[in-house]
Amino acid sequence: MPPTASDAAKQKAMIQVPVEVRREMRLLAASEGRPVSDLYVEAARAYLAARERVVTEPTPIPAAPAREAPVSDPSVSAALARQEKALGEIGRKLDLALRPEGRLAGAVTARAIAVTLAALTRAGPDGETPGTLNKACAEQDLDMNAAMDARSFLRNAGLVQFKANRWFLRSPEAGSGSG
């Protein structure tokens, strides 16, 4: 099928970013718990500001007014608060299952997750270096993108952490925040 005018417009809007830069941006975004697009926009704004170019801020959308509870019964309010917390947790778990591109993690990434978790389990409290994890994935014919996606997914899920240039399994009592 020949390309449409819409396809041509999308091609013009695309920005080519080297793989290693995208990988580092994904890792940084995961470690900060922020969307990757926010980091790219922040970097572009800093670049423009350094060159004394002014970028106007978008007009903020006003927040919806706070609603009062329809009943004053404390037990109903407590039940609603519990339900809101539970729904938020379900939403968080669904978000963790999505890759940054908005697609579910595929079979290759799932294999890389399994290989990474196995290597970190064998390493115990000493953790593993990124190079050792890369080697473990390469031995299973997994490419670098799958290995990086696996680590990003596991970090976002609060299952692993990266400190002092080593990857570690998070202990259950450490909580679910990224570290």
Side-chain angles (χ1 to χ4, degrees):
M1 178 160 52
T4 65
S6 174
D7 293 334
K10 287 178 187 174
Q11 281 290 57
K12 287 181 183 179
M14 291 179 67
I15 298 171
Q16 299 299 318
V17 179
V19 172
E20 62 276 3
V21 174
R22 288 194 315 263
R23 178 179 48 243
E24 290 302 318
M25 290 294 263
R26 284 195 318 259
L27 285 173
L28 182 60
S31 71
E32 294 181 1
R34 298 171 56 194
V36 175
S37 60
D38 286 0
L39 297 183
Y40 281 106
V41 170
E42 185 178 303
R45 287 183 186 278
Y47 178 84
L48 292 169
R51 283 155 180 74
E52 299 179 359
R53 301 296 299 216
V54 177
V55 178
T56 58
E57 292 291 325
T59 306
I61 298 171
R67 296 183 183 177
E68 293 183 23
V71 292
S72 60
D73 183 351
S75 65
V76 172
S77 296
L80 289 173
R82 285 191 305 275
Q83 183 177 14
E84 181 180 4
K85 183 178 178 183
L87 288 173
E89 184 63 19
I90 291 169
R92 187 183 72 77
K93 287 179 180 178
L94 288 173
D95 287 343
L96 293 175
L98 294 175
R99 292 179 54 177
E101 300 84 17
R103 297 187 313 259
L104 289 173
V108 174
T109 303
R111 276 187 43 228
I113 288 169
V115 168
T116 301
L117 287 174
L120 292 175
T121 300
R122 284 190 306 272
D126 294 333
E128 285 290 3
T129 65
T132 304
L133 291 178
N134 293 343
K135 184 178 177 187
C137 285
E139 288 171 353
Q140 298 296 316
D141 295 320
L142 295 164
D143 68 17
M144 198 56 158
N145 287 333
M148 298 308 291
D149 286 346
R151 288 179 217 159
S152 179
F153 179 90
L154 290 168
R155 181 187 265 174
N156 285 340
L159 298 173
V160 301
Q161 61 186 343
F162 185 71
K163 287 185 181 177
N165 204 34
R166 295 186 77 78
W167 287 93
F168 301 89
L169 285 176
R170 290 182 65 86
S171 62
E173 52 276 357
S176 62
S178 292

